[in-house]
Amino acid sequence: MTRLSLKAARVNAGYSQKEAAKILGISNKTLCSWENGKTFPDQPMIEKLCALYGVTYDQLDFVA
């Protein structure tokens, strides 16, 4: 199975960082921090990310 970084999943889904952050109701800075592996989203937000990007949790790699 191919694993994707959060950034790759976002780009593959066709969202800019600004667009994805707005849809998720978070700041660009927060999304950037997740994508760079500095912080980690909580379980409800992981579910939102998966739904938005069209991936499963097992496909995501949270290490930058």
Side-chain angles (χ1 to χ4, degrees):
M1 173 184 0
T2 302
R3 294 181 59 90
L4 298 168
S5 67
L6 276 180
K7 181 177 181 179
R10 173 179 54 77
V11 170
N12 287 350
Y15 294 103
S16 69
Q17 194 174 69
K18 185 176 180 179
E19 290 169 330
K22 184 174 181 178
I23 293 167
L24 293 166
I26 59 173
S27 69
N28 292 2
K29 184 176 179 180
T30 296
L31 185 54
C32 182
S33 181
W34 293 345
E35 289 183 353
N36 290 322
K38 294 179 182 173
T39 59
F40 191 80
D42 62 14
Q43 185 62 35
M45 190 55 70
I46 291 170
E47 291 171 9
K48 288 181 181 180
L49 286 163
C50 289
L52 180 62
Y53 297 162
V55 297
T56 65
Y57 177 77
D58 292 336
Q59 291 175 295
L60 290 177
D61 186 356
F62 289 93
V63 178

